[in-house]
Amino acid sequence: MKNDIAAADEELLATLGYKQEFQRAFTPLEVFGIAFSIIGLLPSIASVLFYAIPNGGPAAMVWGWLVASFFILLVGMSMAELGSAAPTSGGLYFWTHSLSSPRCRNLLSWIVGYSNTIGSIAAVASIDWGCAVQIMAAASIGSNENFTPTSGQTFAVYAAIVLSNAVICCLATRVLARLQTLYVVLNVMLCFAVIIALPASTPKELKNSASFALGNFTNLNGWVPGYAFILSFLAPLWTICSFDSAVHISEEASNAATAVPWAIVMAIGVAGILGWAINVSLAFCMGTDLQALLDSPIGQPMATIFFNSFGQKGTLAVWAIVVIVQYMMGTSMLLAASRQSFAFARDGALPFSSYLYRMNSYTKTPVNTVWFTAIWSLLLGLLVFAGTQAINAVFSISVIALYVAYSIPIVARFVFDNEFKPGPFTLGKWGLPVGIISVLWMTFMGIVFLFPTTPQTDAPDMNYSVVVLGGVLILSLVWYYFPVYGGVHWFTGPVPNVDKRGNGRVGGMMMSTQRNSGDSLDKKGERGMVEAHRVG
């Protein structure tokens, strides 16, 4: 049975133009595991609680989460349908090229690939930065709040986290797959522990009434109430994001056409429900002085809530697990990001692609792209030396960049003339309305997250998302249109390394062909193979 599934997976991948290079060691549960572990509910909520508390307080935490989760699920369903039709590590930019018009498919695929790359790197940076802040919060709690970390100290911890994550991600696929089950178990146990233990341990004077927990709207940042409430959506949007990670390991997954889409949908659904329960628990147990939570010397709102409820020793015990789960999130995110970079390098689109597109002969994993992703994540962390708001921009950068990458293939499917053939997971007639709502939601939220935290701002407090993301996308377009050497002269989108019969490269060269999603090479590709470029 396993051999039949493996053969079917390899055959489907061959129809998409790629030979089987990875070991298919991820079971469907482990594919769900990587999507769910990257979401990492409780530590993720802890990392971005500072967005929700000043932009609506308890009402935003509870009801903002519920509203945002619904729309995120729609986005995930649209993504799942595409992932079921064409489960390949290239994912988003592969779908874009397959579904778009020949006149613009190369450029759109380029934009999506770079948006996905910077979004994934920013997600690694934001997760690991959150982990570094959590470790420093533990140090502050352990010192009776006498220790206040400097930016340099926090960056040093951040660098150690990123580099150690990279070492783990260089391990064999089978080892990384088995770790996902552990990640899921720890995630779920931590969520239930807080949902149950926090209300039981919170002193009576800090417990809030239902009217406060479910209805109080506290606006501390100065935006008009409606807009402040929308800004609080960054917390659930950043938490329940990067679910395209399941797509990027699809070439390592068993029964990928079914496992990948259901991993996306189930991870979002479970995260939405458990996350809402966590926010309700926090809203009832956080006390009424919200400004004090933000100004605490601990430097972490959720750690402060735990400290007020569990005391020093209890908080350190729970917080240790929070830090471990957050660290695991970073490992899973770096794993997925490295696979996306590997796929993009496989098609020659990244600088030094010939070096990046290499499989380590010992571990059978793309070690070079692991370190490529880790190094760029480290560089992104240097934003901390530009100020608090600058480093906090990595949270919104990851959402905005990924939403750009998510939106374009969904639009391409319905706008351009193509022969999209759904896989085992399909929305049927609901595909179009769900896709329209998803794209409108992502476009709206992408614009919202470019605005600063407060209406009155200066250079240190501006939103650096537009600077970093805009700069990367502009540079990618300069690279695309650069005279003689630019991508416009040689980039042909996803480049097959196997023909539709699974026969591998001809003469050691790639084929430059156009494909339809979920199908074999199209008629233009079948009329002949043309030399593209070597990838090493």
Side-chain angles (χ1 to χ4, degrees):
M1 183 64 177
K2 286 184 178 179
N3 290 336
D4 292 341
I5 293 174
D9 283 325
E10 187 170 344
E11 182 180 355
L12 174 57
L13 187 61
T15 66
L16 300 176
Y18 295 119
K19 65 180 180 180
Q20 187 69 49
E21 296 180 275
F22 290 94
Q23 295 178 337
R24 289 195 179 267
F26 279 79
T27 66
L29 177 61
E30 290 162 347
V31 178
F32 164 79
I34 193 167
F36 189 70
S37 65
I38 286 175
I39 290 173
L41 271 178
L42 189 77
S44 289
I45 294 172
S47 296
V48 287
L49 196 58
F50 66 91
Y51 278 104
I53 289 178
N55 289 303
M61 292 166 58
V62 174
W63 304 117
W65 182 279
L66 207 60
V67 171
S69 295
F70 171 75
F71 288 103
I72 295 168
L73 181 60
L74 297 185
V75 174
M77 291 170 71
S78 293
M79 292 279 293
E81 196 169 24
L82 292 170
S84 182
T88 174
S89 297
L92 306 166
Y93 79 88
F94 179 96
W95 305 335
T96 300
H97 193 272
S98 299
L99 298 171
S100 299
S101 165
R103 291 175 296 180
C104 60
R105 65 189 357 164
N106 290 345
L107 176 59
L108 290 179
S109 181
W110 182 278
I111 292 172
V112 169
Y114 272 95
S115 295
N116 201 185
T117 300
I118 184 60
S120 298
I121 290 172
V124 173
S126 57
I127 291 170
D128 284 350
W129 182 259
C131 187
V133 171
Q134 290 166 5
I135 291 173
M136 289 309 195
S140 178
I141 293 171
S143 68
N144 294 315
E145 303 179 49
N146 292 320
F147 171 72
T148 302
T150 64
S151 296
Q153 290 170 331
T154 307
F155 179 81
V157 173
Y158 167 76
I161 293 168
V162 173
L163 294 175
S164 59
N165 277 344
V167 171
I168 293 173
C169 287
C170 290
L171 298 175
T173 298
R174 192 170 302 279
V175 177
L176 296 170
R178 299 299 89 83
L179 286 174
Q180 302 311 314
T181 302
L182 173 63
Y183 293 178
V184 171
V185 172
L186 280 177
N187 260 294
V188 174
M189 287 177 60
L190 183 60
C191 290
F192 280 109
V194 171
I195 292 169
I196 297 170
L198 186 62
S201 303
T202 301
K204 189 174 182 180
E205 62 271 17
L206 291 177
K207 287 185 178 179
N208 296 324
S209 64
S211 60
F212 183 89
L214 304 178
N216 177 268
F217 189 89
T218 300
N219 185 359
L220 300 176
N221 282 344
W223 288 105
V224 295
Y227 189 72
F229 182 72
I230 293 172
L231 283 175
S232 74
F233 290 171
L234 181 59
L237 262 67
W238 183 81
T239 300
I240 313 177
C241 194
S242 300
F243 38 79
D244 60 307
S245 57
V247 176
H248 298 313
I249 64 158
S250 57
E251 293 180 30
E252 299 166 75
S254 176
N255 197 15
T258 299
V260 168
W262 280 109
I264 294 173
V265 174
M266 292 302 295
I268 295 172
V270 173
I273 295 169
L274 283 179
W276 184 77
I278 290 170
N279 276 284
V280 170
S281 181
L282 291 171
F284 273 96
C285 302
M286 65 196 300
T288 58
D289 191 351
L290 304 187
Q291 189 65 58
L293 296 177
L294 298 172
D295 296 339
S296 168
I298 293 175
Q300 225 288 347
M302 185 178 284
T304 304
I305 294 172
F306 285 2
F307 182 72
N308 293 338
S309 297
F310 296 133
Q312 185 189 55
K313 292 182 178 179
T315 299
L316 289 174
V318 174
W319 204 246
I321 303 175
V322 172
V323 170
I324 291 171
V325 173
Q326 181 88 359
Y327 181 85
M328 291 174 173
M329 285 171 57
T331 303
S332 295
M333 188 64 239
L334 181 57
L335 171 65
S338 69
R339 295 330 190 234
Q340 194 279 332
S341 295
F342 174 83
F344 209 30
R346 177 170 60 188
D347 298 319
L350 289 175
F352 310 108
S353 285
S354 61
Y355 176 75
L356 295 175
Y357 176 43
R358 293 182 184 178
M359 195 73 73
N360 184 275
S361 59
Y362 181 71
T363 64
K364 307 299 182 184
T365 56
V367 170
N368 291 357
T369 53
V370 169
W371 288 105
F372 168 83
T373 306
I375 289 170
W376 278 106
S377 299
L378 272 178
L379 294 176
L380 203 52
L382 292 173
L383 282 171
V384 67
F385 297 107
T388 303
Q389 293 304 321
I391 188 61
N392 286 344
V394 298
F395 292 93
S396 51
I397 290 170
S398 61
V399 175
I400 299 167
L402 289 176
Y403 274 12
V404 170
Y406 292 176
S407 297
I408 293 176
I410 296 174
V411 171
R413 175 190 165 184
F414 295 107
V415 169
F416 296 114
D417 183 21
N418 55 64
E419 298 177 9
F420 175 78
K421 294 182 179 180
F425 180 95
T426 176
L427 299 176
K429 64 180 181 181
W430 293 101
L432 178 58
V434 169
I436 291 173
I437 296 172
S438 298
V439 171
L440 291 176
W441 165 258
M442 290 187 286
T443 303
F444 174 67
M445 294 311 304
I447 295 171
V448 167
F449 289 160
L450 292 175
F451 281 79
T453 306
T454 59
Q456 295 79 33
T457 190
D458 50 23
D461 294 328
M462 71 171 284
N463 188 334
Y464 282 80
S465 302
V466 67
V467 177
V468 178
L469 178 59
V472 170
L473 291 180
I474 289 172
L475 287 174
S476 72
L477 289 175
V478 170
W479 168 228
Y480 184 77
Y481 286 110
F482 199 80
V484 183
Y485 300 104
V488 69
H489 301 291
W490 50 262
F491 180 70
T492 58
V495 182
N497 59 12
V498 66
D499 66 25
K500 64 180 180 179
R501 295 174 300 278
N503 289 330
R505 297 182 192 173
V506 178
M509 304 302 295
M510 292 287 200
M511 297 180 296
S512 177
T513 58
Q514 310 297 342
R515 285 177 299 246
N516 289 316
S517 177
D519 200 2
S520 60
L521 307 180
D522 70 10
K523 294 179 181 178
K524 289 185 179 179
E526 291 174 347
R527 280 198 294 264
M529 304 175 186
V530 294
E531 180 174 299
H533 57 282
R534 296 182 185 272
V535 293

